[in-house]
Amino acid sequence: MAKTSRLTPTTVYLYIPNIIGYMRILMNCCAFAICFKDKMLFSILYFISFVCDALDGWFARKFNQVSTFGAVLDMVTDRISTACLLVILSQVYRPSLIFLSLLALDIGSHWLQMYSSFLAGKTSHKDVKDSSSWLFRTYYGNRKFMAYCCVSCEVLYILLFLLAENQTENLTDVLINSAKESWLYFSLLSLLLFGWATKQLVNFIQMKTAADACVHYDIARKQ
C-alpha cells in the first residue's frame, strides 16, 4: 500500500473494498431490473451482493484500506438495497404499511446513528461501548451475533418475496401456511424471525439512543 502522503483520490476510489462496493451496486441494479421476471435470479444476485458486504470489510482490514468513503458507500448500499426490497414487498403483501414502517425505521435509525456519532467525534457509528443497552453493545460488539441478525433479516425478506404468488398476499397467511408445510420450514422461519425481531429491536434502540445524543448535544451547546 502506498504511503499516506502519496495517496490520491483515485487511489482511495480504487481500493479493493470500494471496488467490491461498486460491484454490489451493479449486481443490485441488475437484480431489481429483473426481480419480477426471474425471482430466483433476483434472489441469487441480491444475496451475493449481501454476502459481499462482509467481504469488503475483510479486504479493508486485510489490506489496510479502511476509508471513510468506503464506510459511507457500504452503508448507503446496504440501506438502499434493503429499502428497495422492502418497497417491493410492500407491493405484494398486505398490509403494506408493515414493510414501509420497517423501511422508515431502518433508514431513520441508521441516519441518526451516523449523525450522532459524527457529533460525538467518533470514527465509526459502530462505536457504542458507552451505550447503556447491553443488547445494543452486543450487536455492534459481537460480529457473529450481528451477522446472524443481518442474515436473518435479509434472508427472511428474500424468502417472503419468493413465497409471494401474486400481488395481494396476506403476510400472516403466507407465514402460517409456510410454517405448516414442514418442520424444516417451521424451524427456518422461527430462526429467521427471531434474528429479524432482534434487529428491529436494535434499530429502535439505536434510533432512541442516537436521538438522545443529539438532544444532549443541543443542551450542552446552549449552556
Side-chain angles (χ1 to χ4, degrees):
M1 177 182 172
K3 294 182 179 179
T4 304
S5 58
R6 297 179 182 176
L7 284 178
T8 64
T10 301
T11 303
V12 177
Y13 281 128
L14 294 180
Y15 275 171
I16 294 175
N18 294 342
I19 292 176
I20 294 175
Y22 308 145
M23 293 172 60
R24 290 184 63 204
I25 293 174
L26 182 60
M27 276 190 286
N28 282 326
C29 288
C30 293
F32 285 108
I34 51 90
C35 62
F36 289 111
K37 294 180 181 178
D38 193 331
K39 284 188 172 184
M40 186 56 66
L41 181 57
F42 161 79
S43 301
I44 292 173
L45 289 174
Y46 185 92
F47 187 73
I48 291 175
S49 172
F50 172 71
V51 171
C52 286
D53 181 30
L55 290 179
D56 60 14
W58 184 85
F59 276 106
R61 294 184 294 271
K62 177 70 174 179
F63 296 101
N64 193 27
Q65 293 185 343
V66 176
S67 65
T68 301
F69 170 74
V72 174
L73 176 66
D74 185 56
M75 173 171 281
V76 169
T77 303
D78 289 343
R79 302 283 65 79
I80 292 179
S81 300
T82 302
C84 288
L85 182 51
L86 286 171
V87 168
I88 289 175
L89 290 174
S90 74
Q91 299 304 303
V92 298
Y93 281 101
R94 297 296 178 269
S96 59
L97 183 61
I98 292 177
F99 296 101
L100 295 178
S101 298
L102 291 172
L103 188 160
L105 176 62
D106 186 57
I107 293 180
S109 65
H110 282 85
W111 193 90
L112 273 169
Q113 180 64 13
M114 286 286 286
Y115 197 80
S116 65
S117 297
F118 169 76
L119 292 178
K122 296 179 179 180
T123 58
S124 172
H125 70 283
K126 297 179 181 179
D127 182 2
V128 296
K129 294 187 292 292
D130 56 348
S131 173
S132 60
S133 170
W134 66 268
L135 180 59
F136 196 33
R137 294 195 307 271
T138 303
Y139 179 79
Y140 279 119
N142 189 315
R143 288 181 181 174
K144 291 183 179 179
F145 179 63
M146 182 180 183
Y148 161 65
C149 294
C150 291
V151 170
S152 296
C153 199
E154 297 297 333
V155 172
L156 178 63
Y157 293 154
I158 292 173
L159 185 60
L160 286 175
F161 181 64
L162 290 173
L163 289 173
E165 297 180 355
N166 54 66
Q167 294 189 352
T168 57
E169 295 282 7
N170 182 281
L171 178 60
T172 304
D173 290 343
V174 170
L175 288 174
I176 293 176
N177 291 335
S178 298
K180 288 180 178 179
E181 283 189 15
S182 68
W183 67 269
L184 182 60
Y185 259 128
F186 176 79
S187 300
L188 177 61
L189 284 173
S190 298
L191 189 64
L192 294 178
L193 283 170
F194 180 78
W196 168 84
T198 302
K199 191 175 189 306
Q200 304 318 308
L201 179 57
V202 168
N203 279 343
F204 181 81
I205 295 172
Q206 177 171 253
M207 184 168 62
K208 178 62 169 62
T209 301
D212 287 344
C214 291
V215 170
H216 288 312
Y217 175 84
D218 286 333
I219 294 173
R221 187 178 59 175
K222 292 182 179 180
Q223 286 179 345

